[in-house]
Amino acid sequence: MPPVVLPALIGLASMIWIDRADPVNRLLWTGATVCIAAVIFLTIGWFVPANTGFSSGSLPLDQVSGKLDTWLRLHNIRIALAVAASALGVWACNR
C-alpha cells in the first residue's frame, strides 16, 4: 500500500481541482477521497498495530480468535471503501 498512497492522493486532489467547475464531479471526487482517507486511517490506525501484534506474538492466545474476527470485519469494510472510491472515480470519469 505505501507506494500507491501518495500518487492516489495526488491524483484525487488533482481531479477535485480539475473538476472544480462541475459540482457533481467535484462531489464524486471528494467522496472518493474520503473513502481512500478512511482506508488509510483504518490501515494505519488499526491494521498496522493489529498485524504487528500478531507477528510479534505479543497478543495473548485467548484473544487471537476475537482479534481475527474483528480484523476480518474491518478488512471487509476497508475493501468496500476501496471499491466505493473506485466506483465514484469511474462514475466521475464517465459523466
Side-chain angles (χ1 to χ4, degrees), residues 12 28-29 31-33 35-36 80-90:
L12 288 165
L28 292 171
W29 289 118
T33 303
C35 288
I36 293 300
L81 288 165
V83 169
S86 296
L88 289 168
V90 168

Side-chain angles (χ1 to χ4, degrees), residues 50-75:
N51 290 345
T52 301
F54 289 135
S55 65
S56 70
S58 64
L59 189 64
L61 217 48
D62 62 333
Q63 294 179 11
V64 171
S65 179
K67 188 92 164 183
L68 282 172
D69 288 341
T70 302
W71 191 100
L72 185 57
R73 276 193 294 278
L74 289 175
H75 181 66

